[in-house]
Amino acid sequence: AMSTGSLVVSMAAPHTVLLCDVGLQGLLGLGSAEMMGITIQTLCGPRTDVAKMDKAIRDAAFGNVSQLQTVLYDRQRSEVYVNMSFSHNNYSGGVAGCLIK
């Protein structure tokens, strides 16, 4: 079964997590308090395509939606295979964020 989850990260590097839903918390074995304020790089590892992920977030700032299949790393640093969709999201208070789900 494919688990689903979503998070919103800031557009500006280093792409801080602004919001993370329960689905993704469960997938990564991290609680909401642990997710808040970490950078997306914290979830990356040797097999994460960081360059493509950064580009997808930058593209989202210009209103482009992109898809990426890559690997994130959970609390135990185990590989989690993910299909990610990146899109522009107006986070609360008018902060522009990138929605990843």
Side-chain angles (χ1 to χ4, degrees):
M2 272 300 287
S3 299
T4 59
S6 59
L7 78 160
V8 177
V9 298
S10 61
M11 287 292 188
H15 312 305
T16 307
V17 174
L18 303 173
L19 201 66
C20 179
D21 76 356
V22 178
L24 195 67
Q25 289 166 30
L27 202 60
L28 299 173
L30 294 161
S32 57
E34 295 168 290
M35 287 297 293
M36 297 314 294
I38 66 169
T39 66
I40 199 161
Q41 278 77 7
T42 309
L43 306 174
C44 298
R47 298 191 56 210
T48 308
D49 197 333
V50 177
K52 278 197 178 144
M53 198 155 65
D54 282 347
K55 183 181 184 316
I57 294 170
R58 278 199 310 274
D59 286 350
F62 297 101
N64 299 316
V65 176
S66 48
Q67 307 283 333
L68 176 64
Q69 284 185 309
T70 192
V71 178
L72 295 180
Y73 291 78
D74 67 11
R75 176 197 280 285
Q76 278 77 40
R77 303 307 288 162
S78 300
E79 296 179 353
V80 179
Y81 290 84
V82 288
N83 277 313
M84 298 195 288
S85 162
F86 298 79
S87 57
H88 188 275
N89 178 267
N90 284 321
Y91 182 62
S92 66
V95 175
C98 177
L99 174 66
I100 305 171
K101 62 182 183 182

